[in-house]
């Protein structure tokens, strides 16, 4: 304790102070601070760390320790109050055992007695109240009630009075003394400090009356009790917590009272006796639920119907219909439940009737629509034929009704977890299965696009697309296709997340392609291949892109598309060959494009790609073939030949194989190897070639042989032609030329007999033929050559004895030669005619000379010799004459302008035969000829 | 602070140098001490010829006459006697006692006047003892102001208490209260914190410790409050244990012998007391000083001295035990508050179920 006020022992202090030295030493607070006010603040830290952990249990235990250590009754009672407060707030003995808590309160009872002994007035009432509570906790209820009754007796105006009465009532109530309890609760109700307390008292009073078998009184009290909580606007909705429990309890008691008697009839009697209440519907509702909970579904239905009968126009009357449905449902009588649902639906399904309903009821009626629709749907699924379709149609109707209402009463629909959309979708399914395709389409469309967005909208749209596809499959006309396109397009635009989106994209792309809407088709296909689609779907997209790009002549891109197609196609797929060929074709077209643009190297690369892409196909063949064309253009002859030879090996039956052969020939020729060219040409001649073409190729080959100097090979081909081919190739003139060429080659080869034969053939072929000047010339030359050859024989025959014999041979030779010369002359070619004439004349002249120079027979006499000489001259003379005549014929050709060397030589011969005449003529003739030039 | 040292010094002079003064004043003082003012009055009025005494003895005579008059509640007469004293310190002492007498009778305005006179007289003394008396007057004034809910005034006068006063710990405690009431709770906590360094025997030391717990609670630092309360508990347990030990030692060896042994052999007492650490480290000296300040007479024979000192210590033990119980309650309350703050359990319906 402070002792500031104590008196000073003046004598002692004075003694101590007197003569004191200046020693100063104890606790130095702060240097230079003379007074407390001079001290500067010291630093203290607060708020650091988390602080010690503390539990409520330990707090109670600490208070208990304080309680036990304290001697002062007031301290002990206050400490006990703290313990009680904690226990009351958090429940249980809290850190103490039940027994310890009881013991603590028991120990405090003496303290209360001590304090009560010296206390009066309101404080006494408070202590009595606390002592009552402590006694109660200490397990001494009788003592507790004793304290409370002291309050009732001695402190009637105390603030503890009402609670004391209430607790006394509770005590009596617990003892089953309901009449006494009612008396106490009545007092509490009268003295209660507030409405809350008075209501509690009223509530307990009602219970006391009820248990005291005063049912009607109790019912009246509970109605009064409920009146206090009922609000005209919100009913009992705003009541909460303990009050709500008590109001519910009051309703339960009323239901009990009714149930113990005649059910709804008793409830009506209570209301008649105590006056109707605005919350009568709540009471009926409670009763029907109460009965329902007890399994009395008939009673529950009867209660709902009783209410509807008593309050026909009551706002809660429709709700009772729903309760009937619920009761039948709980009773397991589904048929009656559906009947009740149908009744409710019929009564309220019209939009205006629906609008008039309370929201919860409306929600239920909506639910009935939905449930009935779904039920019919499942029946449709279970049944077959006409029955099934009938159910489906009813389902469609109910569900559509639901959806129609859901648009207006959206909150109710939302509360059911699914909006109208699903129902419209289901209605669409039902319509479709009920055979109403057009209706189904409309419903699907509505579900997908007209209803507020919902998760099943995509399904609806997809169903519509499928429906459209089915229609298109059946009709296959432009109109159904356009509808399919339109709906599929909307689907892919609005539901890109749908699981079947890529299937629809595939369909859409194909239909767009078929409709010639290539740009759109391309866009959709592009999306498809970029999407997370299946391999088949992506392949379909790539196929379409391949076609589209080919059509657009974007061959490189098309090739990419087809390459993707191939990647996505299993090797064993039947279509693989086709895809390969298309791939190759795209590559080939690109190569062609590049080639046309004179980008040969690139083109060649693309041809090679095409060749590799589609091995064994026409495309590969064309690619390889065209590649060789490029190589030829690049003058890479050997490379071209190699490629062409492999081509022919790889594609021996291909149409282009022939061309390849030609190209090989061409390459050899260009490479300066005409012989090889001819060989190739012959080797590549097809067996079934047209004869004309065949002989033509042979002659060309022969020509190449000639160029290569391989004359024997050429001659063989000519001879074969002239033997077998003239009927197939060429006319007379053409053949005469070939014979002529053959003759030239035979001449070079010095094949005399063959040459002779050829000349003969030429001459004979020309005879009677409608030749040309050229063929005539050739023939006349051949005849000339034959004539010369016979003349050579003629000259080699020497006339001897017997002259007749040798002369005859000579004459034969002459005759043959003359014949050939005459034939040559007949062809009317000046050059050969003059030579022939000349040579014939010279033959005659030679013959005459030979006659004159022939060996004379030996042993002739002079006369004989003269006669023989004369005979010889006679013999020779005609020949001379003939020779002159022929030379003169040549001479006569001069005026015709046919002045050749042979004419000159004839003139020379004439001059030799008639020198006087013909030398002059010759001069004259030559002068004239010169003058004519 | 020097006053305490001087007191001890003079105390020992008295113990070891028996007084030759056996004057009437002694007897009169003894009579007053024994609450027999009529006898003191008789002694003072009959046996002491005023002319035969020195100035000092005369001042003491008037002082004792004033005390006598005060005992009879003749406050006006007491004032007259005090006015005759020439030494202002003695006069101030008399007026201080007079102020306390007014205070006991709830005559607050007269108390204030008397304390003003104390300050006036003692302040003019110019000595250390005068300054200490002024501080004592400030403390009394501070208390008075706190009683009258004039905490600004209380803070003002308590701030003037000298730091070398014998009542500095009490002054700090009260100053903390005044500051707390003025809304400077943190400042109050800082003020109370300073008191921790003083011996438990000194007034205001334990109170300041308990006040700190309160201060922390009020400032919302429940953790610190609980920690401080638990430290206080250990401190009080330890202090009580030491006090019990000291009582045993006094019974066994006697106070005089214990004091001599505190001197540590031949060491001069004054030199011993000069060492502040010795002073604060010696609970015995602190208790003895407090015993003397509480009115204990060190000049009586040893057996009587021991008896008186043991009785004082018994009272002190009871005082500390009281503080310990208060601390225990405080600790429980703080703990409860910390626990309530930490709990996440839902609160149930209150009241008596």
């Amino acid at each position: 304790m402070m002792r500031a006020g104590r008196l000073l022992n003046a004598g002692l202090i004075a003694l101590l102070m007197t003569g004191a030295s200046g020693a100063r030493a104890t606790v130095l607070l702060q240097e230079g601070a003379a007074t407390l006010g001079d001290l500067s603040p010291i630093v203290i830290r607060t708020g650091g760390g988390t602080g010690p952990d503390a539990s409520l249990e330990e707090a109670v235990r600490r208070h208990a320790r304080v309680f036990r250590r304290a001697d002062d009754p007031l301290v002990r009672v206050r400490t006990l109050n703290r313990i009680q407060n904690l226990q009351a707030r958090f429940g249980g003995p809290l850190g103490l055992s039940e027994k310890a808590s009881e013991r603590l309160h028991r120990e405090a009872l003496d303290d209360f007695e001590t304090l009560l002994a010296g206390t009066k007035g309101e404080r006494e009432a408070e202590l009595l109240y606390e002592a009552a509570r402590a006694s109660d906790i200490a397990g001494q209820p009788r003592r507790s009630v004793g304290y409370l009754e002291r309050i009732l007796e001695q402190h009637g105006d105390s603030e503890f009075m009402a609670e004391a009465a209430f607790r006394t009532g509770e005590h009596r109530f617990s003892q089953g003394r309901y009449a006494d309890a009612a008396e106490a609760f009545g007092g509490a109700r009268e003295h209660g400090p507030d409405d809350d307390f008075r209501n509690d008292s009223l509530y307990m009073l009602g219970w006391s009356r009820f248990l005291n078998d005063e049912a009607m009184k109790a019912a009246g009290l509970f109605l009064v009790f409920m009146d206090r909580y009922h609000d005209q606007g919100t009913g009992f909705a705003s009541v909460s917590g303990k009050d709500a429990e008590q109001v519910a309890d009051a309703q339960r008691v009323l239901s009990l009272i009714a149930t113990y008697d005649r059910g709804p009839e008793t409830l009506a009697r209570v209301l008649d006796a105590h006056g109707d209440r605005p919350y009568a519907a709540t009471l009926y509702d409670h009763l029907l639920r109460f009965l329902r909970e007890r399994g009395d579904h008939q009673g529950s239905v009867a209660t709902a119907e009783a209410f509807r009968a008593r309050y026909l126009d009551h706002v809660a009357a429709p709700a009772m219909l729903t309760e009937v449905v619920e009761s039948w449902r709980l009773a397991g009588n589904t048929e009656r439940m559906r009947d009740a649902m149908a009744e409710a639906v019929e009564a309220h399904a019209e939009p205006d009737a629906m609008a008039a309903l309370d929201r919860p009821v409306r929600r239920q009626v909506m639910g009935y629509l939905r449930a009935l629709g779904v039920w019919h749907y499942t029946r449709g699924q279970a049944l077959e034929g006409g029955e099934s379709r009938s159910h489906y149609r009813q389902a469609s109707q109910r569900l559509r009704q639901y959806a129609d209402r859901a648009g207006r009463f959206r909150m109710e629909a939302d509360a059911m977890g699914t909006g109208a959309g699903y129902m419209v979708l289901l209605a669409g399914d039902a319509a479709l299965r009920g055979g109403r395709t057009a209706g189904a389409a409309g419903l699907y469309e509505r579900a997908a696009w007209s209803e507020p967005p919902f998760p099943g909208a995509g399904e609806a749209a997809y169903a519509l697309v499928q429906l459209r596809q089915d229609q298109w499959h059946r009709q296959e006309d432009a109109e159904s296709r356009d509808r399919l396109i339109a709906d599929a397009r909307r689907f892919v635009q609005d539901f890109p997340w749908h699981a079947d989106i890529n299937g629809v994209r595939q369909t859409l792309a194909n239909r767009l392609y078929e409709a010639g809407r290539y740009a759109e088709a391309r866009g959709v296909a592009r999306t498809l291949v970029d999407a997370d689609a299946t391999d088949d779907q992506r392949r379909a997209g790539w196929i379409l892109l391949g076609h589209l790009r080919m059509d657009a002549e974007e061959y490189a891109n098309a090739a990419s598309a087809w390459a993707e197609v191939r990647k996505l196609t299993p090797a064993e797929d039947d279509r693989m060959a086709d895809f390969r060929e298309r791939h190759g074709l795209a590559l080939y077209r690109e190569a062609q494009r590049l080639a046309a643009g004179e980008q040969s190297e690139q083109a060649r690369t693309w041809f090679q790609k095409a060749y590799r892409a589609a091995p064994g196909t026409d495309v590969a063949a064309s690619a390889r073939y065209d590649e060789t064309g490029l190589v030829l253009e690049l003058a890479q002859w050997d490379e071209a030949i190699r490629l062409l030879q492999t081509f022919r090996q790889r594609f021996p039956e291909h149409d282009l194989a022939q061309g390849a052969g030609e190209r090989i020939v061409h390459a050899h020729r260009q490479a300066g190897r005409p012989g090889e060219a001819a060989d190739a040409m012959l080797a590549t001649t097809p067996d079934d070639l047209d004869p004309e073409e065949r002989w033509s190729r042979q002659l060309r080959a022969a020509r190449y042989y000639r160029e290569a100097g391989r004359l024997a090979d050429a001659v063989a081909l000519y001879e074969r032609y002239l033997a077998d081919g003239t009927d197939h190739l060429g006319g007379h003139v053409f053949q005469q030329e070939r014979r002529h060429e053959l003759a030239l080659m035979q001449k070079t080869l010095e094949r005399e007999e063959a040459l002779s034969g050829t000349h003969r053939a030429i001459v004979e072929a020309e005879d009677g033929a409608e030749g040309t000047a050229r063929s005539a010339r050739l023939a006349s030359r051949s005849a000339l050559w034959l004539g010369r050859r016979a003349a050579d024989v003629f000259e080699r025959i020497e006339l001897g004895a017997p002259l007749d014999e040798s002369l005859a041979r000579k004459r034969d030779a002459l005759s043959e030669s003359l014949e050939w010369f005459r034939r040559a002359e007949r062809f009317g070619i000046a050059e050969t005619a003059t030579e022939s004439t000349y040579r014939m004349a010279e033959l005659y002249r030679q013959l005459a000379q030979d006659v004159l120079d022939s060996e004379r027979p030996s042993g002739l006499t002079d006369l004989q010799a003269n006669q023989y000489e004369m005979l010889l001259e006679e013999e020779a003379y005609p020949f001379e004459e003939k020779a002159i005549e022929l030379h003169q014929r040549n001479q006569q050709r001069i005026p015709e302008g046919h002045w050749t060397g042979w004419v000159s030589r004839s003139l020379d011969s004439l001059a030799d035969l008639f020198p006087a005449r013909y030398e002059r003529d010759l001069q004259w003739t030559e002068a004239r000829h010169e003058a004519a030039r | 602070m020097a006053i305490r040292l001087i007191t001890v010094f003079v105390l020992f002079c008295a113990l070891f140098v028996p007084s030759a003064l056996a004057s009437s004043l002694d007897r009169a003082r003894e009579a007053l001490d024994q609450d027999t003012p009529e006898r003191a009055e008789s002694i003072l009025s009959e046996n002491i010829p005023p002319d035969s005494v020195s100035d000092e003895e005369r001042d003491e005579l008037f002082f004792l006459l004033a005390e006598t008059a005060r005992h009879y509640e003749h406050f006006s007469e007491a004032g007259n006697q005090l006015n005759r004293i020439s030494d202002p310190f003695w006069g101030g002492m008399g007026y201080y006692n007079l102020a306390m007498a007014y205070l006991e009778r709830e005559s607050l305005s007269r108390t204030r006047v008397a304390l003003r006179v104390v300050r006036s007289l003692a302040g003019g003394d110019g000595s250390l003892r005068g300054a200490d008396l002024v501080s004592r007057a400030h403390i009394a004034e501070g208390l008075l102001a706190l009683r009258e809910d004039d905490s600004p005034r209380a803070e003002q006068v308590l701030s003037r208490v000298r730091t070398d006063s014998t009542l500095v710990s009490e002054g700090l405690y009260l100053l903390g209260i005044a500051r707390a009431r003025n809304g400077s709770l943190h400042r109050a906590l800082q003020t109370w914190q300073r008191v921790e360094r003083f011996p438990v025997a000194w007034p205001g030391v334990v109170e300041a410790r308990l006040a700190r717990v309160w201060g922390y609670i009020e400032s919302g630092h429940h953790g610190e409050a609980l920690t401080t309360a638990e430290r206080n508990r250990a401190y009080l347990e330890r202090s009580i244990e030491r006090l019990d030990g000291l009582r045993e030692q006094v019974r066994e060896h006697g106070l005089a012998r214990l004091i001599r042994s505190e001197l540590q052999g031949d060491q001069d007492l004054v030199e011993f007391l000069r060492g502040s650490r010795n002073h604060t480290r010696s609970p015995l000296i602190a208790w003895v000083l407090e015993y003397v300040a509480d009115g204990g007479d060190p000049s009586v024979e040893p057996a009587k001295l021991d008896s008186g000192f043991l009785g004082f210590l018994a009272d002190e033990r009871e005082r500390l035990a009281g503080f310990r119980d208060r601390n225990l309650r405080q600790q429980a309350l703080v703990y409860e508050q910390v626990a309530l703050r930490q709990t996440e359990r839902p609160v149930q319906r209150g009241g008596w179920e």
Side-chain angles (χ1 to χ4, degrees), chain A residues 297-298 301 324-341:
Chain A
H297 301 298
Q298 294 268 15
V301 170
V324 172
V325 173
E326 179 64 4
S327 290
W328 287 129
R329 186 186 71 80
L330 291 169
N333 194 333
T334 52
E335 196 172 344
R336 299 205 61 174
M337 179 189 75
R338 272 195 303 279
D339 290 345
M341 280 183 177

Side-chain angles (χ1 to χ4, degrees), chain B residues 62 65-67 69-70 74-83 98:
Chain B
F62 293 139
L65 283 171
E67 284 294 283
R70 187 176 61 83
H74 296 159
F75 299 132
S76 179
E77 175 55 23
N80 288 336
Q81 294 297 337
L82 290 173
N83 290 340
L98 195 57

Side-chain angles (χ1 to χ4, degrees), chain A residues 805-879:
Chain A
E805 185 186 339
S806 61
L807 184 61
R809 281 198 291 119
K810 199 154 178 123
R811 189 172 288 171
D812 288 343
L814 174 67
S815 176
E816 185 184 352
S817 180
L818 286 173
E819 176 60 24
W820 286 118
F821 285 137
R822 271 193 293 272
R823 290 181 74 165
E825 193 178 24
R826 274 203 301 272
F827 288 119
I829 303 301
E831 181 188 343
T832 50
T834 53
E835 185 181 353
S836 296
T837 302
Y838 169 77
R839 287 193 182 279
M840 281 191 297
E842 284 300 306
L843 280 175
Y844 281 115
R845 188 180 166 192
Q846 182 66 39
L847 182 60
Q849 190 63 46
D850 286 347
V851 169
L852 291 177
D853 293 340
S854 64
E855 188 182 0
R856 302 310 189 251
S858 57
L860 293 180
T861 64
D862 288 339
L863 180 60
Q864 285 175 323
N866 286 331
Q867 287 177 336
Y868 193 76
E869 284 291 332
M870 285 183 63
L871 181 67
L872 283 176
E873 284 181 2
E874 285 174 6
E875 264 310 308
Y877 178 75
F879 295 140

Side-chain angles (χ1 to χ4, degrees), chain A residues 34-38, chain B residues 119 131 134-139 141 152-165 171 175 179:
Chain A
T35 66
L36 299 187
D38 296 335
Chain B
R119 281 197 277 114
V134 171
S135 290
R136 195 174 288 269
H138 284 319
I139 285 173
E141 279 189 277
R153 166 77 186 153
E155 185 175 350
Q156 189 183 21
V157 294
L158 289 166
S159 295
R160 293 178 190 148
V161 173
R162 292 184 62 85
T163 54
D164 56 3
S165 161
L175 180 59
R179 282 173 169 166

Side-chain angles (χ1 to χ4, degrees), chain B residues 272-337:
Chain B
F272 175 81
L273 293 172
R274 277 183 194 279
S276 62
R277 291 181 62 203
N278 290 337
H279 186 190
T280 51
R281 253 188 351 200
S282 171
L284 172 65
I285 300 301
W287 287 117
V288 168
L289 282 173
E290 204 54 32
Y291 171 59
V292 174
D294 198 43
D297 185 356
S299 61
V300 297
E301 62 182 36
K304 209 173 175 180
L305 177 64
D306 287 352
S307 166
F309 187 59
L310 283 169
F312 168 74
L313 289 185
D315 289 345
E316 286 300 294
R317 189 191 189 285
E318 194 177 340
R319 186 174 71 89
L320 290 181
F323 277 124
R324 185 184 59 191
D325 290 346
R326 272 180 61 191
N327 177 68
L328 198 63
R329 291 202 295 278
Q330 198 180 37
Q331 199 181 344
L333 286 171
V334 177
Y335 189 90
E336 179 190 319
Q337 291 186 36

Side-chain angles (χ1 to χ4, degrees), chain A residues 404-468:
Chain A
D404 292 344
R405 305 296 175 273
R408 180 165 173 184
F409 310 113
R410 195 168 302 286
M411 288 189 69
E412 284 78 352
D414 289 347
M416 289 174 196
T418 53
Y422 276 119
M423 295 303 108
V424 179
L425 171 59
L426 203 58
D429 284 345
L432 189 64
R433 294 178 186 215
R436 303 279 195 253
T437 310
L443 288 164
Y444 285 143
E445 185 173 7
R446 174 177 162 186
W449 287 289
S450 298
E451 292 297 326
F454 73 108
E459 282 310 315
Y462 183 62
L464 179 61
V465 171
Q466 285 187 312
L467 190 149
R468 295 295 189 213

